[in-house]
Amino acid sequence: MPIAISRVTGVEFPKVKIMVDVTLVVLAVVFSYIFFGTWQWHITGVGTLFAMVYVGIVVRIVAKHLGWFDSVLNYRPGFRRYIYGLARYIKP
């Protein structure tokens, strides 16, 4: 979901990741109060609260070094590239 939102809106993925995680955790806490009347720490605990921000920060740092991986994922072989690649093996 964060990738789709990032591509549609044009906002950087790490920012969208943090916003989506914060929204989901807030919803979990709100529904915990609605359904149980109190915050259920064993459902939405400290680790979840820490991870919602920490993962976005780590993604922001690591994404700078993985630009080459995007080019691998976006590679689309075409017919013309295939034919030109074979043409070098044809001897006149």
Side-chain angles (χ1 to χ4, degrees), residues 47-90:
T48 305
L49 299 175
F50 177 72
M52 73 179 179
V53 176
Y54 180 73
V55 171
I57 293 170
V58 169
V59 167
R60 180 179 293 168
I61 293 168
V62 172
K64 295 175 186 174
H65 304 291
L66 291 178
W68 62 271
F69 192 66
D70 289 336
S71 63
V72 171
L73 293 178
N74 292 330
Y75 175 74
R76 303 226 188 271
F79 182 72
R80 206 170 4 164
R81 183 177 293 144
Y82 178 73
I83 294 299
Y84 290 147
L86 289 178
R88 66 180 172 191
Y89 294 111
I90 299 173

Side-chain angles (χ1 to χ4, degrees), residues 4-76:
I5 293 171
S6 175
R7 287 190 180 177
V8 169
T9 61
V11 179
E12 295 177 350
F13 174 71
K15 290 180 182 179
V16 173
K17 175 78 172 134
I18 292 173
M19 289 186 295
V20 167
D21 287 350
V22 168
T23 303
L24 291 175
V25 169
V26 167
L27 285 174
V29 171
V30 167
F31 284 121
S32 177
Y33 276 109
I34 290 172
F35 291 119
F36 303 115
T38 184
W39 186 341
Q40 300 291 317
W41 280 96
H42 60 279
I43 296 174
T44 308
V46 178
T48 305
L49 299 175
F50 177 72
M52 73 179 179
V53 176
Y54 180 73
V55 171
I57 293 170
V58 169
V59 167
R60 180 179 293 168
I61 293 168
V62 172
K64 295 175 186 174
H65 304 291
L66 291 178
W68 62 271
F69 192 66
D70 289 336
S71 63
V72 171
L73 293 178
N74 292 330
Y75 175 74
R76 303 226 188 271

